[in-house]
Amino acid sequence: MQNLSAKMEPVPDDFKLLGGRGFTSMFLSKEVDPLCDPLGANNKLVFAPGLLGATSAPTSGRLSFGGKSPLTGGIKESNAGGQAGQYLARLGIQAVVVDGAAKPGKWYTVVIKKDGVKIEDASRLAGKNNYEAVEKLQEAYGDKTAVISIGKAGEMLLSAASIAVTDQENRPTRHAGRGGLGAVMGSKGIKAFVVDPAGANQAPLVDAEAFKTAQRNFLESLKKHPVTSEGLPTYGTNVLTNVL
């Protein structure tokens, strides 16, 4: 973010079989100084779809965000549903890594497409909440995109700020809410990511019929379990409090 540049790189061999939390946490362990300022240029924000992204497997669209947490001081992983994880996976992107920090007071939108990445000025979005920002962004980039954004709390670098991800109705209702990673995104000068899946495809399946059978069996098990069939749909993540 210092020089507003972006590049695509091949995935290192020791990360090729990692997705989601495995990727983000391993990357932070290897690449980020544990003594760095969580809101400084030496911290990195990384997010990765799961290994079954770009397929129709249940829960395969979750997106894992990682960074050194301004709230805990340790490696933090927080994840969210929504459309962005599936779109990134369809584009063949195993992870996005944000390095450095923009100049103070500057805000940018990172646009990710099949043909590359662009970093564009987002000063007009400064001070807007997630819903307002998403509305403006989808007016500009189309409503077939997914948006990853921060609101005012992330801009103010509040240590419990979340990162919002748009759902199927283009609402920023899915939040990576743990660890203050919204503040890490804000410290980089990024107001939002826009992920455009145009021209992308579902992941190729080696054995489509076997995959469908496994998918169906997994879905049936989710429907039968009281937590996943009743608890989570009714109460959300809060239903897990006693378990945790």
Side-chain angles (χ1 to χ4, degrees), residues 67-139:
K68 181 178 179 181
S69 169
L71 195 61
T72 69
I75 287 176
K76 189 61 204 151
E77 188 275 347
S78 186
N79 60 82
Q83 297 293 87
Q86 287 283 17
Y87 290 176
L88 286 168
R90 288 182 194 175
L91 290 168
I93 295 174
Q94 193 163 341
V96 175
V97 178
V98 183
D99 194 4
K103 293 180 180 178
K106 297 290 187 179
W107 294 101
Y108 295 94
T109 299
V110 180
V111 183
I112 304 172
K113 296 183 176 183
K114 185 178 181 180
D115 59 357
V117 179
K118 293 182 179 179
I119 302 174
E120 302 182 349
D121 180 76
S123 55
R124 65 192 178 93
L125 301 177
K128 295 188 181 300
N129 64 34
N130 287 299
Y131 280 84
E132 293 174 308
V134 167
E135 182 179 357
K136 296 294 184 184
L137 288 165
Q138 294 201 321
E139 285 176 2

Side-chain angles (χ1 to χ4, degrees):
M1 290 305 295
Q2 301 99 316
N3 55 16
L4 304 181
S5 65
K7 59 181 178 179
M8 295 285 190
E9 295 182 339
V11 178
D13 288 342
D14 51 350
F15 285 95
K16 283 184 177 178
L17 296 180
L18 296 177
R21 183 189 303 253
F23 191 109
T24 61
S25 294
M26 181 70 78
F27 182 88
L28 293 165
S29 178
K30 290 191 173 188
E31 298 288 337
V32 175
D33 181 354
L35 300 179
C36 76
D37 177 359
L39 300 179
N42 291 328
N43 194 9
K44 296 183 182 182
L45 177 68
V46 53
F47 50 97
L51 288 175
L52 294 181
T55 75
S56 56
T59 76
S60 61
R62 296 199 72 83
L63 185 60
S64 171
F65 295 85
K68 181 178 179 181
S69 169
L71 195 61
T72 69
I75 287 176
K76 189 61 204 151
E77 188 275 347
S78 186
N79 60 82
Q83 297 293 87
Q86 287 283 17
Y87 290 176
L88 286 168
R90 288 182 194 175
L91 290 168
I93 295 174
Q94 193 163 341
V96 175
V97 178
V98 183
D99 194 4
K103 293 180 180 178
K106 297 290 187 179
W107 294 101
Y108 295 94
T109 299
V110 180
V111 183
I112 304 172
K113 296 183 176 183
K114 185 178 181 180
D115 59 357
V117 179
K118 293 182 179 179
I119 302 174
E120 302 182 349
D121 180 76
S123 55
R124 65 192 178 93
L125 301 177
K128 295 188 181 300
N129 64 34
N130 287 299
Y131 280 84
E132 293 174 308
V134 167
E135 182 179 357
K136 296 294 184 184
L137 288 165
Q138 294 201 321
E139 285 176 2
Y141 299 102
D143 61 4
K144 303 301 183 184
T145 60
V147 178
I148 300 166
S149 62
I150 56 171
K152 298 175 185 178
E155 289 185 30
M156 295 170 66
L157 310 185
L158 301 186
S159 59
S162 68
I163 297 175
V165 182
T166 49
D167 59 20
Q168 290 181 317
E169 287 76 39
N170 293 329
R171 303 168 302 177
T173 60
R174 309 303 184 190
H175 284 257
R178 299 186 176 105
L181 295 180
V184 177
M185 183 165 155
S187 73
K188 304 300 182 189
I190 298 176
K191 178 66 176 178
F193 296 87
V194 175
V195 185
D196 185 346
N201 300 304
Q202 291 283 91
L205 301 176
V206 174
D207 187 334
E209 288 305 313
F211 189 91
K212 287 179 183 178
T213 299
Q215 172 190 322
R216 187 164 52 248
N217 291 340
F218 182 35
L219 185 59
E220 287 302 313
S221 69
L222 293 176
K223 287 180 178 179
K224 292 177 182 177
H225 196 286
V227 173
T228 50
S229 66
E230 299 175 26
L232 283 169
T234 304
Y235 300 107
T237 309
N238 290 332
V239 79
L240 301 175
T241 301
N242 287 343
V243 176
L244 296 173

